[in-house]
Amino acid sequence: MRTWARELESYTHDYVRRGGKQNRRKQVSLIVDFLEYTDAQERVTSLHRIGSRQVIHFWKAHRELSEKTAYDYWLGLCKLWEWTGKPGKPPKPHKRSELTEDPAATAVNQTIFPDIAQAIRAAREARELTIPQLANLSGCELIIIEAIEAGTYDGARVSDIQHLFQILAVELTINRRLF
């Protein structure tokens, strides 16, 4: 049996015995799903070594979860935080639909930008996203987004830029000039 599984068993045994058993069993199964995913990505030797970084990686890998399911996972993670004595709450999942919906037509939406850096920066600012929020939402590295916005594109792949365009709802149009 894995170390984290033995530790988890000591917390869940009494937890499942009391209260709404069906809901508590569901919460425990969601916690186990999270821990199995985290263990597959990087070996988990103890529950106390689980932190915000692992939760953020989990949210990025499971963006397709419905809001209700993501909230259920988050409640389970809150219980895990409580059991392990961690301060605060675990990171919440971003509501992708909220951040990627096409906003009403604005001057930014209809502006033609001469380069990619200006277009991405303007779209991010129009949606009132910080660079760290965009990095978390897109899964791109913070440094790469900063480089793209600075116009240097160091380490940026075309797929990164394309993904940012998709998240920020930036439409790319190439103007062909015939000579």
Side-chain angles (χ1 to χ4, degrees):
M1 182 182 269
R2 297 180 189 138
T3 307
W4 62 262
R6 279 193 299 269
E7 288 180 38
L8 185 66
E9 192 176 313
S10 67
Y11 294 114
T12 60
H13 180 70
D14 287 335
Y15 178 70
V16 175
R17 288 180 56 195
R18 295 182 182 87
K21 290 170 184 42
Q22 186 177 11
N23 183 51
R24 289 180 179 223
R25 283 188 193 111
K26 179 183 174 186
Q27 264 192 336
V28 168
S29 73
L30 294 176
I31 292 169
V32 168
D33 285 348
F34 164 75
L35 291 170
E36 285 177 346
Y37 170 80
T38 303
D39 191 39
Q41 299 304 312
E42 52 187 86
R43 300 301 290 163
V44 177
T45 56
S46 172
L47 290 180
H48 296 283
R49 300 195 93 181
I50 299 289
S52 297
R53 184 173 55 89
Q54 287 83 9
V55 175
I56 291 169
H57 285 285
F58 179 79
W59 293 136
K60 285 180 180 180
H62 294 86
R63 291 191 190 283
E64 77 285 349
L65 292 175
S66 69
E67 285 187 37
K68 183 187 180 329
T69 305
Y71 181 70
D72 289 344
Y73 270 103
W74 185 75
L75 289 176
L77 293 173
C78 287
K79 187 52 74 177
L80 182 63
W81 245 240
E82 180 185 316
W83 289 336
T84 57
K86 296 192 181 301
K89 300 278 185 193
K92 287 186 176 183
H94 282 291
K95 296 176 184 170
R96 184 178 176 129
S97 61
E98 208 176 80
L99 295 172
T100 59
E101 280 180 2
D102 290 338
T106 63
V108 173
N109 291 356
Q110 299 170 353
T111 303
I112 297 173
F113 293 98
D115 69 12
I116 293 169
Q118 289 178 353
I120 289 177
R121 187 179 318 108
R124 178 183 58 77
E125 290 171 353
R127 284 166 182 70
E128 298 177 353
L129 292 173
T130 63
I131 292 176
Q133 287 173 327
L134 181 57
N136 189 16
L137 181 65
S138 68
C140 291
E141 294 288 329
L142 184 76
I143 296 169
I144 290 175
I145 294 174
E146 289 172 344
I148 291 170
E149 286 195 5
T152 58
Y153 310 108
D154 289 340
R157 299 181 311 241
V158 173
S159 61
D160 293 334
I161 295 170
Q162 192 175 21
H163 189 58
L164 291 173
F165 277 173
Q166 184 179 23
I167 286 174
L168 296 170
V170 173
E171 187 175 314
L172 177 65
T173 307
I174 299 174
N175 187 7
R176 291 188 199 178
R177 293 184 183 173
L178 299 174
F179 295 98

